[in-house]
Short mmCIF file of all heavy atoms in Angstrom, two decimals:
data_model
loop_
_atom_site.label_atom_id
_atom_site.label_comp_id
_atom_site.label_asym_id
_atom_site.label_seq_id
_atom_site.Cartn_x
_atom_site.Cartn_y
_atom_site.Cartn_z
N TYR J 1 202.30 -67.00 -74.08
CA TYR J 1 202.82 -66.74 -72.71
C TYR J 1 201.69 -66.21 -71.81
O TYR J 1 200.87 -65.41 -72.25
CB TYR J 1 203.93 -65.70 -72.78
CG TYR J 1 205.16 -66.15 -73.52
CD1 TYR J 1 205.30 -65.80 -74.87
CD2 TYR J 1 206.13 -66.92 -72.92
CE1 TYR J 1 206.39 -66.21 -75.61
CE2 TYR J 1 207.27 -67.31 -73.68
CZ TYR J 1 207.40 -66.97 -74.99
OH TYR J 1 208.45 -67.39 -75.72
N ASP J 2 201.82 -66.60 -70.56
CA ASP J 2 201.05 -65.90 -69.49
C ASP J 2 201.97 -64.78 -69.00
O ASP J 2 203.13 -64.97 -68.72
CB ASP J 2 200.77 -66.84 -68.32
CG ASP J 2 199.69 -67.89 -68.72
OD1 ASP J 2 198.77 -67.52 -69.40
OD2 ASP J 2 199.83 -69.03 -68.27
N VAL J 3 201.43 -63.58 -68.98
CA VAL J 3 202.23 -62.39 -68.69
C VAL J 3 201.73 -61.76 -67.37
O VAL J 3 200.52 -61.53 -67.17
CB VAL J 3 202.15 -61.37 -69.80
CG1 VAL J 3 202.99 -60.17 -69.52
CG2 VAL J 3 202.51 -62.00 -71.12
N SER J 4 202.71 -61.37 -66.53
CA SER J 4 202.38 -60.57 -65.32
C SER J 4 203.14 -59.25 -65.47
O SER J 4 204.31 -59.26 -65.73
CB SER J 4 202.89 -61.30 -64.06
OG SER J 4 202.15 -62.46 -63.81
N ILE J 5 202.40 -58.16 -65.22
CA ILE J 5 203.00 -56.82 -65.28
C ILE J 5 202.71 -56.22 -63.90
O ILE J 5 201.56 -56.16 -63.44
CB ILE J 5 202.31 -55.99 -66.38
CG1 ILE J 5 202.35 -56.70 -67.72
CG2 ILE J 5 202.97 -54.56 -66.47
CD1 ILE J 5 201.45 -56.05 -68.81
N ASN J 6 203.76 -55.77 -63.28
CA ASN J 6 203.68 -55.18 -61.93
C ASN J 6 204.20 -53.73 -61.92
O ASN J 6 205.30 -53.49 -62.44
CB ASN J 6 204.44 -56.04 -60.90
CG ASN J 6 203.82 -57.39 -60.75
OD1 ASN J 6 202.83 -57.50 -60.09
ND2 ASN J 6 204.43 -58.39 -61.29
N TRP J 7 203.48 -52.85 -61.19
CA TRP J 7 203.97 -51.49 -60.93
C TRP J 7 203.22 -50.96 -59.77
O TRP J 7 202.30 -51.49 -59.23
CB TRP J 7 203.67 -50.62 -62.17
CG TRP J 7 202.21 -50.29 -62.41
CD1 TRP J 7 201.55 -49.20 -62.02
CD2 TRP J 7 201.27 -51.11 -63.17
NE1 TRP J 7 200.24 -49.28 -62.39
CE2 TRP J 7 200.04 -50.44 -63.12
CE3 TRP J 7 201.33 -52.32 -63.80
CZ2 TRP J 7 198.88 -50.98 -63.67
CZ3 TRP J 7 200.21 -52.85 -64.33
CH2 TRP J 7 198.99 -52.13 -64.30
N ASN J 8 203.75 -49.85 -59.19
CA ASN J 8 203.25 -49.25 -58.01
C ASN J 8 202.42 -48.03 -58.39
O ASN J 8 203.00 -46.95 -58.73
CB ASN J 8 204.39 -48.82 -57.07
CG ASN J 8 203.87 -48.15 -55.79
OD1 ASN J 8 202.67 -48.04 -55.58
ND2 ASN J 8 204.78 -47.77 -54.96
N PRO J 9 201.07 -48.14 -58.37
CA PRO J 9 200.25 -46.98 -58.74
C PRO J 9 200.30 -45.85 -57.70
O PRO J 9 199.90 -44.74 -57.99
CB PRO J 9 198.85 -47.58 -58.86
CG PRO J 9 198.86 -48.71 -57.89
CD PRO J 9 200.29 -49.29 -57.97
N ASP J 10 200.88 -46.13 -56.56
CA ASP J 10 200.91 -45.16 -55.48
C ASP J 10 202.29 -44.52 -55.37
O ASP J 10 202.63 -43.94 -54.30
CB ASP J 10 200.51 -45.76 -54.10
CG ASP J 10 199.12 -46.33 -54.17
OD1 ASP J 10 198.22 -45.64 -54.72
OD2 ASP J 10 198.89 -47.41 -53.63
N ILE J 11 203.09 -44.67 -56.40
CA ILE J 11 204.45 -44.08 -56.39
C ILE J 11 204.37 -42.61 -56.14
O ILE J 11 203.46 -41.95 -56.62
CB ILE J 11 205.22 -44.46 -57.69
CG1 ILE J 11 206.70 -44.15 -57.55
CG2 ILE J 11 204.62 -43.68 -58.85
CD1 ILE J 11 207.55 -44.73 -58.63
N LYS J 12 205.32 -42.11 -55.38
CA LYS J 12 205.37 -40.72 -55.01
C LYS J 12 205.82 -39.89 -56.27
O LYS J 12 206.76 -40.29 -56.94
CB LYS J 12 206.27 -40.47 -53.85
CG LYS J 12 205.76 -41.11 -52.58
CD LYS J 12 206.74 -40.87 -51.45
CE LYS J 12 206.14 -41.54 -50.18
NZ LYS J 12 207.09 -41.66 -49.15
N LEU J 13 205.17 -38.80 -56.47
CA LEU J 13 205.59 -37.95 -57.58
C LEU J 13 206.92 -37.25 -57.38
O LEU J 13 207.47 -36.63 -58.33
CB LEU J 13 204.46 -36.92 -57.90
CG LEU J 13 203.14 -37.55 -58.43
CD1 LEU J 13 202.12 -36.45 -58.69
CD2 LEU J 13 203.40 -38.37 -59.70
N SER J 14 207.45 -37.36 -56.17
CA SER J 14 208.80 -36.86 -55.94
C SER J 14 209.92 -37.82 -56.42
O SER J 14 211.10 -37.47 -56.50
CB SER J 14 209.02 -36.60 -54.44
OG SER J 14 208.83 -37.78 -53.67
N GLU J 15 209.51 -39.07 -56.86
CA GLU J 15 210.46 -40.02 -57.37
C GLU J 15 210.88 -39.57 -58.78
O GLU J 15 210.11 -38.88 -59.41
CB GLU J 15 209.84 -41.41 -57.40
CG GLU J 15 209.47 -41.99 -56.07
CD GLU J 15 210.69 -42.36 -55.27
OE1 GLU J 15 211.75 -42.75 -55.87
OE2 GLU J 15 210.59 -42.37 -54.07
N HIS J 16 211.98 -40.14 -59.26
CA HIS J 16 212.47 -39.81 -60.58
C HIS J 16 212.21 -40.95 -61.59
O HIS J 16 212.15 -40.67 -62.76
CB HIS J 16 213.97 -39.52 -60.57
CG HIS J 16 214.29 -38.19 -59.83
ND1 HIS J 16 214.49 -37.04 -60.56
CD2 HIS J 16 214.40 -37.88 -58.56
CE1 HIS J 16 214.72 -36.05 -59.67
NE2 HIS J 16 214.67 -36.55 -58.49
N ILE J 17 212.08 -42.14 -61.11
CA ILE J 17 212.03 -43.31 -61.96
C ILE J 17 210.75 -44.14 -61.59
O ILE J 17 210.41 -44.31 -60.45
CB ILE J 17 213.24 -44.26 -61.78
CG1 ILE J 17 214.47 -43.45 -62.12
CG2 ILE J 17 213.13 -45.46 -62.63
CD1 ILE J 17 214.65 -42.95 -63.51
N PHE J 18 210.04 -44.56 -62.68
CA PHE J 18 208.85 -45.36 -62.53
C PHE J 18 209.15 -46.77 -63.00
O PHE J 18 209.23 -47.04 -64.20
CB PHE J 18 207.69 -44.74 -63.28
CG PHE J 18 206.39 -45.53 -63.28
CD1 PHE J 18 205.73 -45.62 -62.10
CD2 PHE J 18 205.89 -46.14 -64.37
CE1 PHE J 18 204.47 -46.26 -61.99
CE2 PHE J 18 204.66 -46.82 -64.33
CZ PHE J 18 204.00 -46.89 -63.14
N PRO J 19 209.45 -47.74 -62.08
CA PRO J 19 209.79 -49.13 -62.50
C PRO J 19 208.56 -49.97 -62.84
O PRO J 19 207.51 -49.86 -62.14
CB PRO J 19 210.56 -49.69 -61.31
CG PRO J 19 210.02 -48.95 -60.14
CD PRO J 19 209.58 -47.53 -60.64
N ILE J 20 208.69 -50.74 -63.88
CA ILE J 20 207.58 -51.67 -64.28
C ILE J 20 208.27 -53.05 -64.46
O ILE J 20 209.24 -53.15 -65.19
CB ILE J 20 206.92 -51.24 -65.62
CG1 ILE J 20 206.45 -49.79 -65.48
CG2 ILE J 20 205.83 -52.18 -66.02
CD1 ILE J 20 206.17 -49.11 -66.79
N LYS J 21 207.69 -54.08 -63.79
CA LYS J 21 208.33 -55.42 -63.85
C LYS J 21 207.41 -56.33 -64.67
O LYS J 21 206.22 -56.29 -64.59
CB LYS J 21 208.52 -55.99 -62.46
CG LYS J 21 209.48 -55.18 -61.59
CD LYS J 21 209.72 -55.77 -60.31
CE LYS J 21 210.72 -54.90 -59.56
NZ LYS J 21 211.47 -55.59 -58.58
N PHE J 22 208.09 -57.20 -65.47
CA PHE J 22 207.42 -58.16 -66.34
C PHE J 22 207.88 -59.57 -66.05
O PHE J 22 209.03 -59.86 -65.71
CB PHE J 22 207.79 -57.87 -67.78
CG PHE J 22 207.22 -56.59 -68.34
CD1 PHE J 22 207.98 -55.41 -68.26
CD2 PHE J 22 205.95 -56.58 -68.91
CE1 PHE J 22 207.44 -54.24 -68.76
CE2 PHE J 22 205.42 -55.41 -69.43
CZ PHE J 22 206.16 -54.23 -69.32
N GLN J 23 206.93 -60.50 -66.22
CA GLN J 23 207.28 -61.88 -66.20
C GLN J 23 206.45 -62.61 -67.27
O GLN J 23 205.23 -62.40 -67.40
CB GLN J 23 207.01 -62.59 -64.84
CG GLN J 23 207.43 -64.03 -64.86
CD GLN J 23 207.19 -64.72 -63.54
OE1 GLN J 23 206.21 -64.45 -62.87
NE2 GLN J 23 208.07 -65.63 -63.20
N PHE J 24 207.14 -63.34 -68.14
CA PHE J 24 206.48 -64.14 -69.19
C PHE J 24 206.71 -65.61 -68.86
O PHE J 24 207.90 -66.05 -68.72
CB PHE J 24 207.12 -63.78 -70.56
CG PHE J 24 206.67 -62.56 -71.20
CD1 PHE J 24 206.94 -61.32 -70.65
CD2 PHE J 24 205.93 -62.54 -72.38
CE1 PHE J 24 206.50 -60.15 -71.21
CE2 PHE J 24 205.42 -61.40 -72.94
CZ PHE J 24 205.81 -60.16 -72.40
N VAL J 25 205.64 -66.38 -68.83
CA VAL J 25 205.73 -67.82 -68.57
C VAL J 25 205.17 -68.57 -69.77
O VAL J 25 204.01 -68.31 -70.20
CB VAL J 25 204.97 -68.21 -67.31
CG1 VAL J 25 205.00 -69.70 -67.10
CG2 VAL J 25 205.54 -67.47 -66.09
N ASP J 26 205.96 -69.40 -70.35
CA ASP J 26 205.54 -70.19 -71.54
C ASP J 26 204.37 -71.06 -71.18
O ASP J 26 204.44 -71.79 -70.20
CB ASP J 26 206.72 -71.01 -72.04
CG ASP J 26 206.47 -71.72 -73.31
OD1 ASP J 26 205.54 -72.58 -73.41
OD2 ASP J 26 207.09 -71.36 -74.37
N LYS J 27 203.28 -70.97 -71.97
CA LYS J 27 202.06 -71.75 -71.63
C LYS J 27 202.29 -73.21 -71.88
O LYS J 27 201.63 -74.04 -71.22
CB LYS J 27 200.90 -71.23 -72.51
CG LYS J 27 200.34 -69.91 -71.99
CD LYS J 27 199.07 -69.61 -72.79
CE LYS J 27 198.23 -68.71 -71.95
NZ LYS J 27 196.89 -69.06 -71.83
N VAL J 28 203.19 -73.58 -72.77
CA VAL J 28 203.38 -75.01 -73.06
C VAL J 28 204.31 -75.70 -72.01
O VAL J 28 203.97 -76.68 -71.41
CB VAL J 28 203.97 -75.17 -74.50
CG1 VAL J 28 204.32 -76.65 -74.74
CG2 VAL J 28 203.03 -74.69 -75.56
N SER J 29 205.47 -75.06 -71.77
CA SER J 29 206.48 -75.67 -70.86
C SER J 29 206.32 -75.27 -69.41
O SER J 29 206.79 -75.95 -68.54
CB SER J 29 207.89 -75.28 -71.29
OG SER J 29 208.13 -73.91 -71.07
N GLY J 30 205.63 -74.13 -69.15
CA GLY J 30 205.49 -73.62 -67.80
C GLY J 30 206.73 -72.90 -67.29
O GLY J 30 206.73 -72.52 -66.17
N LYS J 31 207.71 -72.75 -68.14
CA LYS J 31 208.95 -72.12 -67.71
C LYS J 31 208.85 -70.63 -67.97
O LYS J 31 208.35 -70.17 -69.02
CB LYS J 31 210.13 -72.71 -68.51
CG LYS J 31 210.45 -74.12 -68.15
CD LYS J 31 211.65 -74.64 -68.89
CE LYS J 31 211.98 -76.06 -68.53
NZ LYS J 31 213.13 -76.59 -69.21
N ALA J 32 209.48 -69.89 -67.04
CA ALA J 32 209.56 -68.45 -67.23
C ALA J 32 210.60 -68.09 -68.25
O ALA J 32 211.67 -68.72 -68.33
CB ALA J 32 209.93 -67.76 -65.88
#
């Protein structure tokens, strides 16, 4: 899989939750 990992490094420390988003794309089929 080709993998994309996204997050906000500038998130405010006053926030309670740190979200991290992932996407996996199959290298053979090209489908997520």
